[in-house]
Amino acid sequence: MLPKTETVLNFIGGEMREPQGGAWLENTDPATGKIYGRVADSGAEDLQAAVDAAQAAFPAWRDAPAQQRAACLRNLADLIEKHFEDFIRAESIDTGKPVALARAVDIPRSAANLRAFAEAAVIFAGEEFENETSHSYTLRRPHGVVATISPWNLPLLLLTWKAAPALAAGNCLIAKPSEVTPVTAFLLSSLIDAAGFPPGVFNLLHGRGAGIGAAIAAHPDIPAISFTGGTETGKAIYAAAAPHLKRISLELGGKNPTIVFADAEFDAAVDGAVRAAFSNQGQICLCGSRLLIEEGIYDQFKAAFLEKTDAIKTGDPLGAATQHGAMVSEQHMHKVLSCIDLAKEEGGKILCGGESLQIGGRCKDGFFIAPTVIEGLPQNCRTNREEIFGPVVTLQSFQNEAEALALANATEYGLAASVWTQDDATAERMAAEIDSGIVWINCWNLRDLNTPFGGMKKSGIGREGKWRAMQFFTEEKTVTRPK
Ligand code: NAD
């Protein structure tokens, strides 16, 4: 049986613990606007307890056979699947995302993350080098106590994406999920013991970013931190970590273009662009929030895009048919609505949406925004340069490949892009020239967990993905002897 979610506790040294300072945060269901639980708001003394527990567990976990670490990760994946329905429901309630999305993406991917790194744990190896005079090889050793700090948009998926390589590589972990969506991390922590992890290997601390998050970033005995979240938060963590020369991986914001050429397979491109714009209410770092369309098909594509957008089923996230649920919080809903107001002030024309949605019934006080499409804005306005992180997409037209490329690259971000064309040469030239860590050709968010994942420019530093994450969570040593 999983624990009740009304009280979300820390997990330190193999035990559920209340915050030592006695501070709690409220947890709100964004679909109803009702408070449905409280969350530990951890402080420095909780962090020290977690660091102590992790340090004590580290030597044995580091020296355990890789097969043992892999088995614990696989067991945890099995346990998520055993409680699949509970995890799906909990993720939907905590985030406001449609239950169908949690079923299709969040929870299966969380189990897949754990399995991918169970496999990596046993295969990961160093390299060999040889020349006329010497033979060398590399050893990779875990850092010790490492931390992960993760956001609210894909709570369990992104926590496991970071925790799994950290643990697979032999580190002990302090994970800090978002205080906005802590529940599935808490449920996961209740399964750690049953999965076979020794006490202290996996620790979970809840609480505010400015409180426990900042304390983790500055703690001298946590030499590596993997962070996913906003660019401003990433900068703060980078600055706090700098005096300690911590290893830092930053996965940050995006302002991603979806680029549609006139020769694209039309229906597939419309479907892909709608999915890219509005999945998870536009709250995915990879979402295509700038839709760039070649001039010759602009009107036709716009009409088809609006028709598809209009057909998105908005409603109660727990409704089986719902495709578009609630925004994660009241605060975030107001932030996105203020971005829409700014777009109007900048001269944007709202083609659909543009306001909060009234759902009624159990969701009458929930935080919903209609899928919103805006046109008529130049690239150099704030709406087209700054991340909104909501169900808001702007349309722009381009005349040729050079202009498409210039528009695509005209932001400070560089996370992902998707290019739609039937001409391979165009696709490959664009892929080579776009400043982003990920380029999808004729698809969006098609993921292979083995591939490097991350952003250029202000979208981040470093890459995740199977081997890159294993490298991040280890320190490399070169050993040389003469021949
Ligand atoms: P956020 O930056 O507000 O919070 C992320 C995490 O950082 C939370 O756990 C929060 O408590 C913590 N935090 C906040 N301030 C902190 C501080 N000073 N020190 C340490 N920790 C702190 O982000 P969010 O609003 O939860 O998530 C949305 C953002 O995440 C968007 O910008 C989105 O693009 C980005 N994101 C990026 C990726 C990616 O892979 N690049 C994936 C998902 C989300």
Side-chain angles (χ1 to χ4, degrees):
M1 270 275 283
L2 291 176
K4 290 202 171 1
T5 55
E6 282 85 30
T7 297
V8 171
L9 298 165
N10 289 329
F11 184 73
I12 301 172
E15 289 170 7
M16 291 291 178
R17 297 201 201 160
E18 296 203 351
Q20 290 182 46
W24 297 89
L25 303 168
E26 289 172 343
N27 195 17
T28 305
D29 173 348
T32 62
K34 295 200 170 51
I35 294 164
Y36 78 107
R38 61 178 189 154
V39 184
D41 189 15
S42 310
E45 57 287 5
D46 302 302
L47 176 57
Q48 198 51 52
V51 170
D52 292 346
Q55 283 182 331
F58 176 61
W61 183 247
R62 175 195 59 202
D63 296 339
Q67 286 291 3
Q68 183 188 332
R69 296 199 295 269
C72 293
L73 291 166
R74 274 196 301 272
N75 293 342
L76 193 56
D78 292 346
L79 286 164
I80 289 177
E81 282 168 356
K82 182 173 166 203
H83 298 283
F84 198 58
E85 293 301 324
D86 295 318
F87 271 99
I88 288 167
R89 194 177 156 80
E91 200 69 298
S92 173
I93 292 171
D94 218 21
T95 59
K97 71 176 67 205
V99 76
L101 187 64
R103 180 182 302 282
V105 178
D106 294 73
I107 307 308
R109 233 317 275 286
S110 300
N113 289 339
L114 294 164
R115 293 213 172 89
F117 287 103
E119 189 185 294
V122 290
I123 312 176
F124 189 52
E127 290 175 79
E128 280 196 82
F129 303 85
E130 188 135 11
N131 66 12
E132 299 76 35
T133 56
S134 66
H135 176 247
S136 306
Y137 60 93
T138 61
L139 293 173
R140 285 201 166 265
R141 296 294 170 87
H143 297 292
V145 180
V146 300
T148 62
I149 302 179
S150 45
W152 48 253
N153 63 329
L154 301 161
L156 192 66
L157 188 161
L158 289 174
L159 187 148
T160 50
W161 179 235
K162 295 172 176 302
L167 297 168
N171 300 281
C172 290
L173 175 67
I174 297 172
K176 193 208 108 43
S178 169
E179 63 274 35
V180 184
T181 56
V183 168
T184 48
F186 167 61
L187 297 180
L188 188 80
S189 71
S190 77
L191 301 172
I192 288 293
D193 184 43
F197 290 95
V201 169
F202 177 103
N203 304 278
L204 186 68
L205 292 177
H206 297 280
R208 288 167 304 112
I212 187 63
I216 288 171
H219 197 290
D221 297 327
I222 302 177
I225 300 174
S226 174
F227 170 75
T228 296
T231 294
E232 290 310 310
T233 313
K235 288 182 197 170
I237 291 174
Y238 204 33
H244 306 281
L245 293 179
K246 295 186 185 209
R247 277 57 181 148
I248 295 287
S249 166
L250 300 175
E251 296 291 340
L252 310 176
K255 190 73 182 173
N256 312 302
T258 301
I259 305 155
V260 184
F261 285 91
D263 69 348
E265 214 274 273
F266 192 84
D267 293 340
V270 174
D271 283 352
V274 169
R275 225 163 54 78
F278 299 120
S279 288
N280 202 35
Q281 296 74 244
Q283 301 167 134
I284 301 181
C285 53
L286 306 166
C287 274
S289 55
R290 293 185 296 137
L291 178 49
L292 312 178
I293 307 162
E294 192 163 358
E295 206 171 47
I297 60 163
Y298 184 86
D299 290 334
Q300 191 195 355
F301 197 89
K302 176 172 97 175
F305 185 83
L306 287 170
E307 196 181 317
K308 273 260 171 216
T309 301
D310 190 50
I312 294 172
K313 291 189 184 66
T314 55
D316 185 339
L318 293 180
T322 298
Q323 296 170 313
H324 184 94
M327 304 303 290
V328 77
S329 67
E330 184 171 20
Q331 188 193 12
H332 190 58
M333 177 182 74
H334 287 306
K335 184 220 144 182
V336 174
L337 289 172
S338 75
C339 292
I340 295 172
D341 288 341
L342 174 68
K344 290 182 200 159
E345 282 164 30
E346 289 183 321
K349 181 174 169 204
I350 308 290
L351 300 177
C352 72
E355 55 199 7
S356 55
L357 257 181
Q358 302 310 316
I359 298 292
R362 141 188 133 86
C363 298
K364 68 180 178 7
D365 297 320
F367 314 133
F368 294 81
I369 297 182
T372 296
V373 182
I374 304 173
E375 74 171 352
L377 288 170
Q379 179 52 40
N380 65 359
C381 66
R382 283 180 59 196
T383 303
N384 274 331
R385 287 200 324 262
E386 296 175 10
E387 184 181 50
I388 297 174
F389 216 56
V392 181
V393 62
T394 61
L395 312 188
Q396 293 178 80
S397 70
F398 62 86
Q399 286 181 0
N400 52 40
E401 193 179 315
E403 192 185 5
L405 187 61
L407 289 171
N409 285 343
T411 79
E412 291 189 315
Y413 293 104
L415 186 56
S418 72
V419 179
W420 297 80
T421 173
Q422 295 191 66
D423 183 58
D424 287 346
T426 306
E428 279 158 27
R429 277 194 306 272
M430 291 294 287
E433 296 297 327
I434 292 174
D435 297 334
S436 69
I438 300 152
V439 179
W440 283 293
I441 297 173
N442 296 328
C443 62
W444 175 76
N445 204 4
L446 183 60
R447 295 280 289 111
D448 171 347
L449 303 189
N450 292 306
T451 57
F453 178 94
M456 295 183 182
K457 302 197 283 189
K458 294 207 172 136
S459 289
I461 293 179
R463 294 290 179 272
E464 298 186 316
K466 204 187 243 171
W467 306 117
R468 301 300 190 279
M470 293 297 286
Q471 285 164 1
F472 173 75
F473 282 114
T474 50
E475 200 64 76
E476 194 166 36
K477 184 191 289 186
T478 302
V479 184
T480 301
R481 63 171 88 216
K483 266 175 107 174

